[in-house]
Coordinates of all heavy atoms in Angstrom, one line a residue:
M1 N 48.8 19.0 -47.6 CA 50.0 18.3 -47.0 C 49.6 17.6 -45.7 O 49.0 18.2 -44.9 CB 51.1 19.3 -46.8 CG 52.3 18.7 -46.1 SD 53.5 20.0 -46.0 CE 54.5 19.3 -44.8
A2 N 49.8 16.3 -45.6 CA 49.5 15.6 -44.4 C 50.6 15.8 -43.3 O 51.8 15.9 -43.6 CB 49.3 14.1 -44.7
W3 N 50.2 15.9 -42.1 CA 51.1 16.0 -41.0 C 51.7 14.6 -40.7 O 51.0 13.6 -40.8 CB 50.4 16.5 -39.7 CG 50.1 18.0 -39.9 CD1 48.9 18.5 -40.2 CD2 51.0 19.1 -39.7 NE1 49.0 19.8 -40.3 CE2 50.2 20.2 -40.0 CE3 52.3 19.2 -39.4 CZ2 50.8 21.5 -39.9 CZ3 52.9 20.5 -39.3 CH2 52.1 21.6 -39.6
P4 N 52.9 14.5 -40.2 CA 53.5 13.2 -39.9 C 52.8 12.7 -38.6 O 52.2 13.4 -37.8 CB 55.0 13.5 -39.6 CG 55.0 15.0 -39.3 CD 53.9 15.6 -40.0
D5 N 52.8 11.3 -38.5 CA 52.2 10.7 -37.3 C 52.9 11.0 -36.0 O 52.3 11.2 -35.0 CB 52.2 9.1 -37.5 CG 51.3 8.7 -38.6 OD1 50.3 9.5 -38.9 OD2 51.5 7.6 -39.2
M6 N 54.2 11.2 -36.1 CA 55.0 11.5 -34.9 C 55.4 13.0 -35.0 O 55.7 13.5 -36.1 CB 56.2 10.6 -34.7 CG 55.8 9.2 -34.5 SD 57.3 8.2 -34.3 CE 57.9 8.8 -32.8
A7 N 55.3 13.7 -33.9 CA 55.7 15.1 -33.9 C 57.2 15.3 -34.1 O 58.0 14.6 -33.6 CB 55.3 15.7 -32.5
S8 N 57.5 16.2 -34.9 CA 58.9 16.5 -35.2 C 59.5 17.4 -34.1 O 58.8 18.3 -33.6 CB 58.9 17.3 -36.5 OG 60.2 17.9 -36.7
P9 N 60.7 17.1 -33.7 CA 61.4 18.0 -32.7 C 61.5 19.4 -33.2 O 61.6 20.3 -32.4 CB 62.7 17.3 -32.4 CG 62.9 16.4 -33.6 CD 61.6 16.0 -34.1
Y10 N 61.6 19.6 -34.5 CA 61.7 20.9 -35.0 C 60.5 21.7 -34.8 O 60.5 22.9 -34.6 CB 62.1 20.9 -36.5 CG 63.4 20.3 -36.8 CD1 63.5 19.0 -37.4 CD2 64.6 20.9 -36.4 CE1 64.7 18.4 -37.6 CE2 65.8 20.3 -36.6 CZ 65.9 19.0 -37.2 OH 67.1 18.4 -37.4
E11 N 59.3 21.1 -34.9 CA 58.1 21.7 -34.6 C 58.0 22.1 -33.1 O 57.5 23.2 -32.8 CB 56.9 20.8 -34.9 CG 56.6 20.7 -36.4 CD 55.4 19.8 -36.7 OE1 54.7 19.4 -35.8 OE2 55.2 19.6 -37.9
R12 N 58.4 21.2 -32.3 CA 58.4 21.5 -30.8 C 59.2 22.7 -30.5 O 58.9 23.5 -29.5 CB 58.8 20.3 -30.0 CG 57.8 19.2 -30.1 CD 58.3 18.0 -29.3 NE 57.4 16.9 -29.6 CZ 57.6 15.7 -29.1 NH1 58.7 15.4 -28.5 NH2 56.8 14.7 -29.4
R13 N 60.3 22.9 -31.2 CA 61.2 24.1 -30.9 C 60.5 25.4 -31.3 O 60.9 26.4 -30.8 CB 62.5 23.9 -31.6 CG 63.4 22.8 -31.1 CD 64.7 22.8 -31.7 NE 65.3 21.5 -31.5 CZ 66.1 20.9 -32.3 NH1 66.4 21.5 -33.5 NH2 66.6 19.8 -32.1
S14 N 59.5 25.3 -32.1 CA 58.9 26.6 -32.5 C 57.7 27.0 -31.6 O 57.0 28.0 -31.9 CB 58.3 26.4 -34.0 OG 57.4 25.4 -34.0
I15 N 57.5 26.3 -30.5 CA 56.5 26.7 -29.6 C 57.0 27.8 -28.8 O 58.1 27.8 -28.2 CB 56.1 25.5 -28.6 CG1 55.5 24.3 -29.5 CG2 55.1 25.9 -27.6 CD1 55.3 23.1 -28.7
I16 N 56.2 28.9 -28.7 CA 56.5 30.1 -27.9 C 55.4 30.5 -27.0 O 54.3 30.0 -27.1 CB 56.9 31.3 -28.8 CG1 55.7 31.6 -29.7 CG2 58.1 31.0 -29.6 CD1 55.9 32.9 -30.5
R17 N 55.7 31.3 -26.0 CA 54.7 31.8 -25.0 C 53.6 32.5 -25.7 O 53.8 33.3 -26.7 CB 55.4 32.7 -24.0 CG 54.5 33.2 -22.9 CD 55.2 34.0 -22.0 NE 56.3 33.2 -21.3 CZ 57.2 33.7 -20.6 NH1 57.3 35.0 -20.3 NH2 58.1 32.9 -20.0
G18 N 52.4 32.3 -25.3 CA 51.2 33.0 -25.9 C 50.5 32.3 -26.9 O 49.4 32.7 -27.3
M19 N 51.0 31.1 -27.4 CA 50.3 30.4 -28.5 C 49.1 29.7 -27.8 O 49.1 29.3 -26.7 CB 51.2 29.3 -29.1 CG 52.4 29.9 -29.8 SD 53.5 28.6 -30.5 CE 52.6 28.2 -32.0
R20 N 48.1 29.5 -28.6 CA 46.9 28.7 -28.2 C 47.2 27.2 -28.2 O 47.9 26.8 -29.1 CB 45.7 29.0 -29.1 CG 45.2 30.4 -28.9 CD 44.0 30.6 -29.9 NE 43.3 31.9 -29.7 CZ 43.7 33.0 -30.2 NH1 44.8 33.0 -31.0 NH2 43.1 34.1 -30.0
V21 N 46.6 26.5 -27.2 CA 46.8 25.1 -27.1 C 45.4 24.4 -27.3 O 44.5 24.8 -26.6 CB 47.4 24.6 -25.8 CG1 47.6 23.1 -25.7 CG2 48.8 25.3 -25.6
R22 N 45.3 23.5 -28.2 CA 44.0 22.8 -28.5 C 44.3 21.3 -28.5 O 45.4 20.9 -28.9 CB 43.4 23.3 -29.8 CG 43.1 24.7 -29.8 CD 42.3 25.1 -31.1 NE 42.1 26.5 -31.2 CZ 41.0 27.1 -30.6 NH1 40.1 26.3 -30.0 NH2 40.8 28.4 -30.7
D23 N 43.2 20.5 -28.2 CA 43.4 19.1 -28.3 C 42.9 18.7 -29.7 O 42.6 19.5 -30.5 CB 42.6 18.3 -27.2 CG 41.1 18.6 -27.3 OD1 40.6 19.2 -28.3 OD2 40.4 18.1 -26.4
E24 N 42.9 17.4 -30.0 CA 42.6 17.0 -31.4 C 41.2 17.2 -31.8 O 40.9 17.3 -33.0 CB 43.0 15.5 -31.6 CG 42.1 14.5 -30.9 CD 42.6 13.1 -31.1 OE1 43.6 12.8 -31.7 OE2 41.9 12.2 -30.6
A25 N 40.3 17.4 -30.9 CA 38.9 17.7 -31.2 C 38.7 19.2 -31.4 O 37.6 19.7 -31.8 CB 38.0 17.2 -30.1
G26 N 39.8 20.0 -31.2 CA 39.7 21.5 -31.4 C 39.3 22.2 -30.1 O 39.1 23.4 -30.2
T27 N 39.2 21.5 -29.0 CA 38.8 22.2 -27.7 C 40.0 23.0 -27.2 O 41.1 22.6 -27.2 CB 38.5 21.1 -26.7 OG1 37.4 20.3 -27.2 CG2 38.0 21.8 -25.4
F28 N 39.7 24.3 -26.9 CA 40.7 25.2 -26.4 C 41.1 24.8 -25.0 O 40.2 24.7 -24.1 CB 40.2 26.6 -26.4 CG 41.1 27.7 -25.9 CD1 42.2 28.0 -26.6 CD2 40.8 28.2 -24.7 CE1 43.1 29.0 -26.0 CE2 41.6 29.2 -24.1 CZ 42.8 29.6 -24.8
L29 N 42.4 24.6 -24.7 CA 42.9 24.2 -23.4 C 43.6 25.4 -22.7 O 43.7 25.3 -21.5 CB 43.8 23.0 -23.5 CG 43.3 21.8 -24.2 CD1 44.4 20.7 -24.3 CD2 42.1 21.2 -23.3
G30 N 44.0 26.4 -23.4 CA 44.7 27.5 -22.8 C 45.8 28.1 -23.7 O 45.9 27.7 -24.8
Y31 N 46.5 29.0 -23.1 CA 47.6 29.7 -23.7 C 48.9 29.2 -23.1 O 49.0 28.9 -21.9 CB 47.6 31.2 -23.6 CG 46.4 31.9 -24.2 CD1 45.2 32.1 -23.5 CD2 46.5 32.2 -25.6 CE1 44.2 32.7 -24.1 CE2 45.4 32.8 -26.2 CZ 44.2 33.1 -25.5 OH 43.2 33.7 -26.1
V32 N 50.0 29.0 -23.9 CA 51.3 28.6 -23.4 C 51.8 29.7 -22.5 O 51.9 30.8 -22.9 CB 52.3 28.4 -24.6 CG1 53.6 28.0 -24.1 CG2 51.8 27.3 -25.5
A33 N 52.1 29.3 -21.3 CA 52.7 30.2 -20.3 C 54.2 30.0 -20.1 O 54.9 30.9 -19.9 CB 52.0 30.1 -19.0
L34 N 54.6 28.7 -20.1 CA 56.0 28.3 -19.9 C 56.2 27.0 -20.5 O 55.3 26.2 -20.6 CB 56.1 28.3 -18.3 CG 57.5 28.0 -17.8 CD1 58.4 29.2 -18.0 CD2 57.4 27.8 -16.3
L35 N 57.5 26.8 -20.9 CA 57.9 25.5 -21.5 C 59.0 24.9 -20.6 O 59.9 25.6 -20.1 CB 58.4 25.7 -22.9 CG 57.4 26.2 -23.9 CD1 58.1 26.6 -25.2 CD2 56.4 25.1 -24.2
S36 N 59.0 23.6 -20.5 CA 60.1 22.8 -19.9 C 60.5 21.7 -20.9 O 59.8 21.6 -21.9 CB 59.8 22.3 -18.5 OG 58.9 21.2 -18.7
G37 N 61.4 20.9 -20.6 CA 61.8 19.9 -21.4 C 60.8 18.8 -21.6 O 60.7 18.1 -22.6
A38 N 59.9 18.6 -20.6 CA 58.9 17.6 -20.6 C 57.5 18.0 -20.6 O 56.6 17.3 -20.9 CB 59.1 16.7 -19.4
H39 N 57.2 19.3 -20.3 CA 55.8 19.8 -20.2 C 55.6 21.1 -20.8 O 56.6 21.9 -20.9 CB 55.4 19.9 -18.7 CG 55.3 18.6 -18.0 ND1 56.4 18.0 -17.3 CD2 54.3 17.7 -17.9 CE1 56.0 16.9 -16.8 NE2 54.8 16.6 -17.2
I40 N 54.4 21.4 -21.2 CA 53.9 22.7 -21.6 C 53.0 23.2 -20.5 O 52.1 22.4 -20.1 CB 53.1 22.6 -22.9 CG1 54.0 22.1 -24.0 CG2 52.5 24.0 -23.2 CD1 53.2 21.9 -25.3
Y41 N 53.2 24.3 -19.9 CA 52.4 24.9 -18.9 C 51.5 25.9 -19.5 O 51.9 26.8 -20.3 CB 53.3 25.5 -17.8 CG 54.1 24.5 -17.1 CD1 55.4 24.3 -17.5 CD2 53.6 23.7 -16.1 CE1 56.2 23.3 -16.9 CE2 54.4 22.7 -15.5 CZ 55.7 22.5 -15.9 OH 56.4 21.6 -15.3
V42 N 50.2 25.8 -19.3 CA 49.2 26.6 -19.9 C 48.3 27.3 -18.9 O 48.2 26.9 -17.7 CB 48.2 25.8 -20.8 CG1 49.0 25.1 -21.9 CG2 47.5 24.7 -20.1
R43 N 47.8 28.5 -19.3 CA 46.8 29.2 -18.5 C 45.6 29.4 -19.4 O 45.6 29.5 -20.6 CB 47.4 30.6 -18.2 CG 48.5 30.6 -17.3 CD 48.9 32.0 -16.9 NE 49.9 32.5 -17.8 CZ 50.6 33.6 -17.6 NH1 50.3 34.4 -16.6 NH2 51.5 34.0 -18.5
R44 N 44.4 29.4 -18.7 CA 43.2 29.5 -19.4 C 43.0 30.8 -20.2 O 42.5 30.9 -21.2 CB 42.0 29.3 -18.5 CG 40.7 29.1 -19.1 CD 40.6 27.7 -19.8 NE 39.3 27.6 -20.4 CZ 39.0 26.9 -21.5 NH1 40.0 26.3 -22.1 NH2 37.8 26.8 -21.9
W45 N 43.5 31.9 -19.6 CA 43.6 33.2 -20.2 C 44.9 33.8 -19.8 O 45.5 33.4 -18.8 CB 42.3 34.1 -19.9 CG 42.1 34.4 -18.4 CD1 42.7 35.4 -17.7 CD2 41.3 33.6 -17.5 NE1 42.3 35.3 -16.4 CE2 41.4 34.2 -16.3 CE3 40.5 32.5 -17.6 CZ2 40.8 33.8 -15.1 CZ3 39.9 32.0 -16.5 CH2 40.0 32.7 -15.3
P46 N 45.4 34.8 -20.5 CA 46.7 35.3 -20.3 C 47.1 35.8 -18.9 O 48.2 35.7 -18.5 CB 46.9 36.5 -21.3 CG 45.9 36.1 -22.4 CD 44.7 35.4 -21.7
F47 N 46.1 36.2 -18.1 CA 46.4 36.8 -16.8 C 45.9 35.8 -15.7 O 45.8 36.2 -14.5 CB 45.8 38.2 -16.6 CG 46.4 39.1 -17.6 CD1 45.6 39.6 -18.7 CD2 47.7 39.5 -17.5 CE1 46.2 40.4 -19.6 CE2 48.3 40.4 -18.5 CZ 47.5 40.8 -19.5
S48 N 45.6 34.6 -16.0 CA 45.1 33.7 -15.0 C 46.2 33.3 -14.0 O 47.3 33.1 -14.4 CB 44.6 32.4 -15.7 OG 44.2 31.4 -14.8
R49 N 45.8 33.1 -12.8 CA 46.7 32.6 -11.8 C 46.7 31.1 -11.6 O 47.5 30.6 -10.8 CB 46.4 33.3 -10.4 CG 46.6 34.8 -10.5 CD 46.5 35.4 -9.2 NE 47.5 34.9 -8.3 CZ 48.4 35.6 -7.7 NH1 48.5 36.8 -7.9 NH2 49.3 35.0 -6.9
R50 N 45.9 30.4 -12.3 CA 45.8 29.0 -12.3 C 46.4 28.4 -13.5 O 46.0 28.7 -14.6 CB 44.4 28.5 -12.1 CG 43.8 28.9 -10.8 CD 42.5 28.3 -10.6 NE 42.0 28.8 -9.3 CZ 40.7 28.7 -9.0 NH1 39.8 28.3 -9.8 NH2 40.3 29.2 -7.8
W51 N 47.4 27.5 -13.4 CA 48.1 26.9 -14.5 C 47.8 25.4 -14.6 O 47.4 24.8 -13.6 CB 49.6 27.1 -14.3 CG 50.1 28.4 -14.5 CD1 49.4 29.6 -14.3 CD2 51.4 28.8 -14.8 NE1 50.2 30.7 -14.5 CE2 51.5 30.2 -14.8 CE3 52.6 28.1 -15.1 CZ2 52.7 30.9 -15.1 CZ3 53.7 28.8 -15.3 CH2 53.8 30.2 -15.4
G52 N 48.0 24.9 -15.8 CA 47.8 23.4 -16.0 C 49.1 23.0 -16.7 O 49.8 23.8 -17.3
Q53 N 49.3 21.7 -16.7 CA 50.5 21.2 -17.4 C 50.1 20.0 -18.3 O 49.2 19.3 -18.0 CB 51.6 20.7 -16.4 CG 51.2 19.4 -15.7 CD 52.4 19.0 -14.7 OE1 53.4 19.7 -14.6 NE2 52.2 17.9 -14.1
L54 N 50.7 20.0 -19.5 CA 50.5 19.0 -20.5 C 51.9 18.4 -20.9 O 52.8 19.2 -21.1 CB 49.8 19.6 -21.7 CG 48.4 20.2 -21.4 CD1 48.1 21.2 -22.4 CD2 47.4 19.1 -21.3
P55 N 52.0 17.1 -21.1 CA 53.3 16.5 -21.5 C 53.6 16.9 -22.9 O 52.7 17.0 -23.8 CB 53.1 15.0 -21.3 CG 51.6 14.8 -21.3 CD 51.0 16.1 -20.8
M56 N 54.9 17.2 -23.2 CA 55.3 17.5 -24.5 C 55.1 16.3 -25.5 O 55.0 16.5 -26.7 CB 56.8 17.9 -24.5 CG 57.1 19.3 -24.0 SD 56.6 20.5 -25.1 CE 58.0 20.8 -26.0
S57 N 55.0 15.1 -24.9 CA 54.8 14.0 -25.8 C 53.5 14.0 -26.5 O 53.3 13.3 -27.5 CB 55.0 12.7 -25.0 OG 54.0 12.6 -24.0
R58 N 52.5 14.8 -26.0 CA 51.2 14.9 -26.7 C 51.2 15.8 -27.8 O 50.2 15.9 -28.5 CB 50.2 15.3 -25.6 CG 49.8 14.3 -24.7 CD 48.6 14.7 -23.8 NE 47.4 15.1 -24.5 CZ 46.4 15.7 -24.0 NH1 46.4 16.0 -22.7 NH2 45.4 16.0 -24.8
V59 N 52.3 16.6 -28.1 CA 52.3 17.6 -29.2 C 52.2 16.8 -30.5 O 53.0 16.0 -30.8 CB 53.5 18.4 -29.1 CG1 53.6 19.3 -30.4 CG2 53.5 19.3 -27.9
R60 N 51.1 17.1 -31.3 CA 51.0 16.5 -32.6 C 51.6 17.3 -33.7 O 52.4 16.8 -34.5 CB 49.5 16.2 -32.9 CG 49.3 15.5 -34.2 CD 47.9 15.0 -34.3 NE 47.8 14.3 -35.6 CZ 46.7 13.6 -35.9 NH1 45.7 13.5 -35.1 NH2 46.7 13.0 -37.0
H61 N 51.3 18.5 -33.7 CA 51.9 19.5 -34.7 C 51.7 20.9 -34.2 O 50.8 21.2 -33.4 CB 51.5 19.2 -36.1 CG 50.0 19.5 -36.4 ND1 49.1 18.6 -36.2 CD2 49.4 20.6 -36.8 CE1 47.9 19.1 -36.5 NE2 48.1 20.3 -36.9
V62 N 52.5 21.8 -34.8 CA 52.4 23.2 -34.5 C 52.1 24.0 -35.7 O 52.7 23.8 -36.7 CB 53.8 23.7 -33.9 CG1 53.7 25.1 -33.5 CG2 54.2 22.8 -32.7
T63 N 51.0 24.8 -35.6 CA 50.7 25.7 -36.7 C 50.9 27.1 -36.3 O 51.2 27.3 -35.1 CB 49.2 25.5 -37.1 OG1 48.4 25.9 -36.0 CG2 48.9 24.1 -37.5
P64 N 50.9 28.1 -37.2 CA 51.2 29.4 -36.7 C 50.1 29.9 -35.6 O 49.0 29.9 -35.9 CB 51.0 30.3 -38.0 CG 51.3 29.3 -39.1 CD 50.8 28.0 -38.6
G65 N 50.6 30.1 -34.4 CA 49.7 30.5 -33.3 C 49.0 29.4 -32.6 O 48.4 29.7 -31.6
T66 N 49.1 28.2 -32.9 CA 48.4 27.1 -32.3 C 49.3 25.8 -32.1 O 50.0 25.5 -33.0 CB 47.1 26.7 -33.1 OG1 46.4 27.9 -33.3 CG2 46.3 25.7 -32.3
V67 N 49.1 25.2 -30.9 CA 49.8 23.9 -30.7 C 48.6 22.9 -30.6 O 47.7 23.1 -29.8 CB 50.5 23.9 -29.3 CG1 51.1 22.6 -29.1 CG2 51.6 25.0 -29.3
V68 N 48.7 21.9 -31.4 CA 47.6 20.9 -31.5 C 48.2 19.6 -30.8 O 49.3 19.1 -31.1 CB 47.2 20.5 -32.9 CG1 46.1 19.5 -32.9 CG2 46.7 21.8 -33.6
L69 N 47.4 19.1 -29.8 CA 47.8 17.9 -29.0 C 47.0 16.7 -29.5 O 45.9 16.8 -30.0 CB 47.5 18.2 -27.5 CG 48.2 19.4 -27.0 CD1 47.7 19.6 -25.5 CD2 49.7 19.4 -27.0
E70 N 47.7 15.5 -29.2 CA 47.0 14.3 -29.4 C 46.0 14.0 -28.3 O 46.3 14.4 -27.1 CB 48.0 13.1 -29.5 CG 48.8 13.1 -30.7 CD 49.8 12.0 -30.7 OE1 50.0 11.3 -29.7 OE2 50.5 11.8 -31.7
G71 N 44.9 13.3 -28.5 CA 44.0 12.9 -27.5 C 43.1 14.1 -27.1 O 43.2 15.2 -27.6
R72 N 42.3 13.8 -26.1 CA 41.4 14.8 -25.5 C 41.6 14.9 -24.0 O 42.1 14.0 -23.4 CB 39.9 14.4 -25.8 CG 39.6 14.4 -27.3 CD 38.2 14.0 -27.5 NE 37.9 14.0 -28.9 CZ 36.7 13.7 -29.4 NH1 35.7 13.5 -28.6 NH2 36.5 13.7 -30.7
G73 N 41.1 15.9 -23.5 CA 41.2 16.1 -22.0 C 41.8 17.3 -21.6 O 42.6 18.0 -22.3
A74 N 41.5 17.7 -20.4 CA 42.0 19.0 -19.8 C 43.4 18.8 -19.3 O 43.9 17.7 -19.1 CB 41.1 19.5 -18.7
A75 N 44.1 19.9 -19.0 CA 45.4 19.9 -18.4 C 45.4 19.6 -17.0 O 44.4 19.9 -16.3 CB 46.0 21.3 -18.6
D76 N 46.4 18.9 -16.5 CA 46.5 18.6 -15.1 C 46.9 19.9 -14.3 O 47.6 20.7 -14.8 CB 47.7 17.6 -14.9 CG 47.4 16.2 -15.6 OD1 46.2 15.9 -15.7 OD2 48.4 15.6 -16.0
A77 N 46.3 20.0 -13.1 CA 46.5 21.2 -12.3 C 48.0 21.2 -11.8 O 48.6 20.2 -11.6 CB 45.6 21.2 -11.1
V78 N 48.5 22.4 -11.6 CA 49.9 22.6 -11.2 C 49.8 23.3 -9.8 O 49.0 24.1 -9.5 CB 50.6 23.5 -12.2 CG1 52.0 23.8 -11.7 CG2 50.7 22.8 -13.5
T79 N 50.7 22.9 -8.9 CA 50.8 23.5 -7.6 C 51.2 24.9 -7.7 O 52.0 25.3 -8.6 CB 51.8 22.7 -6.7 OG1 53.1 22.8 -7.3 CG2 51.4 21.3 -6.5
P80 N 50.7 25.8 -6.8 CA 51.0 27.2 -6.9 C 52.4 27.6 -6.7 O 52.8 28.6 -7.1 CB 50.2 27.8 -5.7 CG 49.1 26.8 -5.4 CD 49.7 25.4 -5.8
E81 N 53.3 26.7 -6.1 CA 54.7 27.1 -6.0 C 55.4 27.3 -7.3 O 56.3 28.0 -7.4 CB 55.4 26.0 -5.2 CG 55.0 25.9 -3.7 CD 53.8 25.1 -3.5 OE1 53.4 24.2 -4.3 OE2 53.1 25.4 -2.5
L82 N 54.9 26.6 -8.4 CA 55.5 26.7 -9.7 C 55.3 28.1 -10.3 O 56.2 28.7 -10.9 CB 55.0 25.7 -10.6 CG 55.5 25.8 -12.0 CD1 57.0 25.4 -12.1 CD2 54.7 25.0 -13.0
Y83 N 54.1 28.7 -10.1 CA 53.8 29.9 -10.8 C 53.7 31.1 -9.9 O 53.0 32.1 -10.2 CB 52.6 29.8 -11.7 CG 51.4 29.3 -11.0 CD1 50.5 30.1 -10.2 CD2 51.0 27.9 -11.1 CE1 49.4 29.6 -9.6 CE2 49.9 27.5 -10.4 CZ 49.1 28.3 -9.7 OH 48.0 27.9 -9.1
E84 N 54.5 31.2 -8.9 CA 54.5 32.4 -8.0 C 55.2 33.5 -8.8 O 55.9 33.2 -9.8 CB 55.3 32.1 -6.7 CG 54.5 31.2 -5.8 CD 55.3 30.9 -4.5 OE1 56.4 31.5 -4.3 OE2 54.7 30.2 -3.7
E85 N 55.1 34.7 -8.3 CA 55.7 35.8 -9.0 C 57.2 35.7 -9.1 O 57.8 35.3 -8.1 CB 55.3 37.1 -8.2 CG 55.7 38.4 -9.0 CD 55.2 39.6 -8.3 OE1 54.2 39.5 -7.6 OE2 55.8 40.7 -8.5
I86 N 57.7 36.0 -10.2 CA 59.2 35.9 -10.4 C 59.8 37.2 -9.9 O 59.5 38.3 -10.3 CB 59.5 35.6 -11.9 CG1 58.8 34.3 -12.4 CG2 61.0 35.6 -12.2 CD1 58.9 34.1 -13.9
T87 N 60.8 37.0 -9.1 CA 61.6 38.2 -8.6 C 62.5 38.7 -9.7 O 63.0 37.9 -10.5 CB 62.3 37.9 -7.3 OG1 63.2 36.8 -7.6 CG2 61.4 37.5 -6.2
T88 N 62.8 39.9 -9.7 CA 63.6 40.5 -10.7 C 65.0 40.9 -10.1 O 65.1 41.1 -8.9 CB 63.0 41.7 -11.4 OG1 62.8 42.7 -10.4 CG2 61.6 41.4 -12.0
Q89 N 65.9 41.2 -11.0 CA 67.2 41.7 -10.5 C 67.3 43.2 -10.5 O 68.3 43.8 -10.1 CB 68.3 41.2 -11.5 CG 68.4 39.7 -11.5 CD 68.9 39.1 -10.2 OE1 69.7 39.7 -9.5 NE2 68.4 37.9 -9.8
T90 N 66.2 43.9 -10.8 CA 66.2 45.3 -10.8 C 66.1 45.9 -9.4 O 65.2 45.5 -8.6 CB 65.0 45.9 -11.6 OG1 65.0 45.3 -12.9 CG2 65.0 47.4 -11.7
L91 N 67.0 46.7 -9.0 CA 67.0 47.3 -7.7 C 66.1 48.6 -7.7 O 66.0 49.2 -8.7 CB 68.4 47.7 -7.3 CG 69.4 46.6 -7.2 CD1 70.8 47.1 -7.0 CD2 69.0 45.6 -6.2
P92 N 65.5 48.9 -6.5 CA 64.6 50.1 -6.5 C 65.5 51.3 -6.7 O 66.7 51.3 -6.4 CB 64.0 50.0 -5.1 CG 64.9 49.1 -4.3 CD 65.5 48.1 -5.3
L93 N 64.9 52.4 -7.1 CA 65.6 53.7 -7.3 C 66.1 54.2 -6.0 O 67.2 54.7 -5.9 CB 64.7 54.7 -8.0 CG 64.3 54.3 -9.4 CD1 63.3 55.3 -9.9 CD2 65.5 54.2 -10.3
V94 N 65.3 54.1 -4.9 CA 65.7 54.6 -3.6 C 65.4 53.5 -2.6 O 64.3 53.0 -2.6 CB 64.9 55.9 -3.2 CG1 65.3 56.4 -1.8 CG2 65.2 56.9 -4.3
E95 N 66.4 53.2 -1.8 CA 66.1 52.2 -0.7 C 65.2 52.7 0.3 O 65.4 53.9 0.8 CB 67.4 51.7 -0.1 CG 68.4 51.0 -1.0 CD 67.9 49.6 -1.3 OE1 67.2 49.0 -0.5 OE2 68.2 49.2 -2.4
P96 N 64.2 52.0 0.7 CA 63.3 52.5 1.8 C 64.0 52.7 3.1 O 64.8 51.9 3.5 CB 62.2 51.3 2.0 CG 62.4 50.4 0.8 CD 63.8 50.6 0.3
G97 N 63.8 53.9 3.7 CA 64.4 54.2 4.9 C 65.9 54.6 4.8 O 66.5 54.9 5.8
A98 N 66.4 54.7 3.7 CA 67.8 55.2 3.5 C 67.9 56.7 3.5 O 67.0 57.4 3.1 CB 68.3 54.7 2.2
A99 N 68.9 57.1 4.2 CA 69.1 58.6 4.3 C 69.7 59.1 2.9 O 70.6 58.5 2.4 CB 70.1 58.9 5.4
R100 N 69.2 60.2 2.5 CA 69.8 60.8 1.3 C 71.0 61.6 1.6 O 71.1 62.3 2.6 CB 68.7 61.7 0.6 CG 67.5 61.0 0.1 CD 66.6 61.9 -0.6 NE 65.5 61.1 -1.0 CZ 64.6 61.5 -1.9 NH1 64.7 62.7 -2.4 NH2 63.6 60.8 -2.2
T101 N 72.0 61.5 0.8 CA 73.2 62.3 1.0 C 73.4 63.5 0.1 O 72.8 63.6 -0.9 CB 74.5 61.4 0.9 OG1 74.4 60.9 -0.5 CG2 74.5 60.3 1.9

């Protein structure tokens, strides 16, 4: 079965965190770390602190576990402010310095 020339929006919706991202030559670009409406943010390995971004318009097709992009080339670097540690809503069990009653 041949893939369509233009990427289907239904395929783009099936992209999830952790999928491998490759260009049309098969070069590994990274793992999906985060998705936005216009970009895919990738990391070279799952625990990397350096992220790159790729436009969603480059998505050619999605296979199980892999996102294939049009063209060749590495991801553009992303500023560190984007991928800082995410704070959680979970409160600590005991407040530091709080007196126990």
Side-chain angles (χ1 to χ4, degrees):
M1 174 177 162
W3 289 98
D5 291 335
M6 296 182 63
S8 166
Y10 297 108
E11 288 182 2
R12 292 181 185 170
R13 289 186 200 149
S14 63
I15 299 172
I16 59 172
R17 184 179 296 172
M19 294 178 82
R20 289 179 173 85
V21 179
R22 298 186 182 275
D23 65 7
E24 68 182 5
T27 305
F28 176 73
L29 300 176
Y31 294 96
V32 174
L34 186 67
L35 295 168
S36 74
H39 292 92
I40 299 174
Y41 297 95
V42 297
R43 293 187 269 190
R44 191 71 176 148
W45 58 88
F47 301 107
S48 174
R49 296 188 60 118
R50 295 187 180 160
W51 290 23
Q53 70 180 5
L54 299 157
M56 284 289 270
S57 61
R58 285 187 58 190
V59 174
R60 182 166 182 171
H61 64 272
V62 180
T63 61
T66 306
V67 179
V68 180
L69 305 176
E70 291 179 350
R72 295 182 183 182
D76 298 329
V78 176
T79 59
E81 290 81 26
L82 176 69
Y83 53 83
E84 289 180 0
E85 186 173 338
I86 299 170
T87 57
T88 65
Q89 298 292 328
T90 306
L91 299 173
L93 296 174
V94 179
E95 294 289 331
R100 293 186 184 193
T101 57

